mmCIF file of all heavy atoms in Angstrom:
data_model
loop_
_atom_site.group_PDB
_atom_site.id
_atom_site.type_symbol
_atom_site.label_atom_id
_atom_site.label_comp_id
_atom_site.label_asym_id
_atom_site.label_seq_id
_atom_site.Cartn_x
_atom_site.Cartn_y
_atom_site.Cartn_z
ATOM 1 N N LEU B 342 -26.747 -7.260 -25.443
ATOM 2 C CA LEU B 342 -26.328 -5.888 -25.148
ATOM 3 C C LEU B 342 -27.495 -4.921 -25.345
ATOM 4 O O LEU B 342 -27.686 -3.977 -24.578
ATOM 5 C CB LEU B 342 -25.148 -5.481 -26.036
ATOM 6 C CG LEU B 342 -23.804 -6.122 -25.676
ATOM 7 C CD1 LEU B 342 -22.760 -5.837 -26.735
ATOM 8 C CD2 LEU B 342 -23.321 -5.629 -24.307
ATOM 9 N N ARG B 343 -28.299 -5.216 -26.360
ATOM 10 C CA ARG B 343 -29.474 -4.379 -26.612
ATOM 11 C C ARG B 343 -30.486 -4.544 -25.465
ATOM 12 O O ARG B 343 -31.053 -3.567 -24.962
ATOM 13 C CB ARG B 343 -30.095 -4.813 -27.949
ATOM 14 C CG ARG B 343 -31.123 -3.879 -28.435
ATOM 15 C CD ARG B 343 -31.771 -4.316 -29.727
ATOM 16 N NE ARG B 343 -33.089 -3.690 -29.769
ATOM 17 C CZ ARG B 343 -33.280 -2.414 -30.036
ATOM 18 N NH1 ARG B 343 -32.265 -1.642 -30.312
ATOM 19 N NH2 ARG B 343 -34.496 -1.894 -30.009
ATOM 20 N N GLU B 344 -30.662 -5.811 -25.066
ATOM 21 C CA GLU B 344 -31.564 -6.132 -23.951
ATOM 22 C C GLU B 344 -31.101 -5.383 -22.679
ATOM 23 O O GLU B 344 -31.912 -4.801 -21.951
ATOM 24 C CB GLU B 344 -31.477 -7.646 -23.744
ATOM 25 C CG GLU B 344 -32.533 -8.298 -22.907
ATOM 26 C CD GLU B 344 -32.193 -9.788 -22.687
ATOM 27 O OE1 GLU B 344 -31.531 -10.414 -23.544
ATOM 28 O OE2 GLU B 344 -32.576 -10.304 -21.625
ATOM 29 N N LEU B 345 -29.782 -5.396 -22.469
ATOM 30 C CA LEU B 345 -29.198 -4.717 -21.313
ATOM 31 C C LEU B 345 -29.518 -3.221 -21.347
ATOM 32 O O LEU B 345 -29.983 -2.640 -20.351
ATOM 33 C CB LEU B 345 -27.679 -4.919 -21.322
ATOM 34 C CG LEU B 345 -26.851 -4.114 -20.328
ATOM 35 C CD1 LEU B 345 -27.006 -4.672 -18.920
ATOM 36 C CD2 LEU B 345 -25.366 -4.102 -20.712
ATOM 37 N N ALA B 346 -29.271 -2.612 -22.491
ATOM 38 C CA ALA B 346 -29.501 -1.172 -22.620
ATOM 39 C C ALA B 346 -30.986 -0.854 -22.409
ATOM 40 O O ALA B 346 -31.334 0.134 -21.741
ATOM 41 C CB ALA B 346 -29.036 -0.694 -23.992
ATOM 42 N N MET B 347 -31.855 -1.697 -22.946
ATOM 43 C CA MET B 347 -33.301 -1.471 -22.797
ATOM 44 C C MET B 347 -33.734 -1.589 -21.340
ATOM 45 O O MET B 347 -34.546 -0.793 -20.844
ATOM 46 C CB MET B 347 -34.081 -2.468 -23.657
ATOM 47 C CG MET B 347 -34.036 -2.191 -25.148
ATOM 48 S SD MET B 347 -34.558 -0.526 -25.584
ATOM 49 C CE MET B 347 -36.269 -0.582 -25.058
ATOM 50 N N LEU B 348 -33.213 -2.610 -20.649
ATOM 51 C CA LEU B 348 -33.558 -2.779 -19.230
ATOM 52 C C LEU B 348 -33.159 -1.537 -18.436
ATOM 53 O O LEU B 348 -33.905 -1.055 -17.577
ATOM 54 C CB LEU B 348 -32.846 -4.001 -18.642
ATOM 55 C CG LEU B 348 -33.444 -5.376 -18.966
ATOM 56 C CD1 LEU B 348 -32.464 -6.480 -18.575
ATOM 57 C CD2 LEU B 348 -34.773 -5.580 -18.220
ATOM 58 N N ASN B 349 -31.974 -1.017 -18.729
ATOM 59 C CA ASN B 349 -31.493 0.177 -18.028
ATOM 60 C C ASN B 349 -32.377 1.384 -18.329
ATOM 61 O O ASN B 349 -32.787 2.115 -17.433
ATOM 62 C CB ASN B 349 -30.037 0.466 -18.417
ATOM 63 C CG ASN B 349 -29.056 -0.384 -17.644
ATOM 64 O OD1 ASN B 349 -28.366 0.101 -16.766
ATOM 65 N ND2 ASN B 349 -29.005 -1.668 -17.916
ATOM 66 N N LEU B 350 -32.663 1.552 -19.603
ATOM 67 C CA LEU B 350 -33.470 2.683 -20.045
ATOM 68 C C LEU B 350 -34.859 2.630 -19.399
ATOM 69 O O LEU B 350 -35.338 3.620 -18.819
ATOM 70 C CB LEU B 350 -33.596 2.640 -21.580
ATOM 71 C CG LEU B 350 -34.453 3.714 -22.241
ATOM 72 C CD1 LEU B 350 -33.676 5.019 -22.345
ATOM 73 C CD2 LEU B 350 -34.897 3.282 -23.648
ATOM 74 N N GLU B 351 -35.501 1.471 -19.469
ATOM 75 C CA GLU B 351 -36.892 1.387 -19.017
ATOM 76 C C GLU B 351 -37.004 1.448 -17.491
ATOM 77 O O GLU B 351 -37.909 2.080 -16.955
ATOM 78 C CB GLU B 351 -37.537 0.123 -19.577
ATOM 79 C CG GLU B 351 -37.560 0.187 -21.109
ATOM 80 C CD GLU B 351 -38.504 -0.802 -21.762
ATOM 81 O OE1 GLU B 351 -38.087 -1.957 -21.969
ATOM 82 O OE2 GLU B 351 -39.649 -0.424 -22.055
ATOM 83 N N LYS B 352 -36.070 0.796 -16.806
ATOM 84 C CA LYS B 352 -36.142 0.833 -15.342
ATOM 85 C C LYS B 352 -35.846 2.235 -14.813
ATOM 86 O O LYS B 352 -36.469 2.689 -13.849
ATOM 87 C CB LYS B 352 -35.165 -0.186 -14.744
ATOM 88 C CG LYS B 352 -35.655 -1.619 -14.927
ATOM 89 C CD LYS B 352 -34.843 -2.597 -14.120
ATOM 90 C CE LYS B 352 -35.483 -3.970 -14.226
ATOM 91 N NZ LYS B 352 -35.458 -4.700 -12.966
ATOM 92 N N ALA B 353 -34.899 2.907 -15.444
ATOM 93 C CA ALA B 353 -34.581 4.269 -15.002
ATOM 94 C C ALA B 353 -35.788 5.176 -15.214
ATOM 95 O O ALA B 353 -36.120 6.005 -14.356
ATOM 96 C CB ALA B 353 -33.371 4.802 -15.755
ATOM 97 N N HIS B 354 -36.460 4.994 -16.347
ATOM 98 C CA HIS B 354 -37.633 5.830 -16.616
ATOM 99 C C HIS B 354 -38.785 5.492 -15.687
ATOM 100 O O HIS B 354 -39.540 6.373 -15.277
ATOM 101 C CB HIS B 354 -38.045 5.718 -18.092
ATOM 102 C CG HIS B 354 -37.174 6.538 -18.982
ATOM 103 N ND1 HIS B 354 -35.923 6.135 -19.364
ATOM 104 C CD2 HIS B 354 -37.347 7.780 -19.527
ATOM 105 C CE1 HIS B 354 -35.367 7.073 -20.111
ATOM 106 N NE2 HIS B 354 -36.211 8.083 -20.221
#
Side-chain angles (χ1 to χ4, degrees):
Chain B
L342 287 171
R343 191 182 155 75
E344 195 186 331
L345 171 74
M347 287 306 296
L348 282 168
N349 279 253
L350 178 79
E351 298 196 275
K352 287 191 174 220
H354 282 78

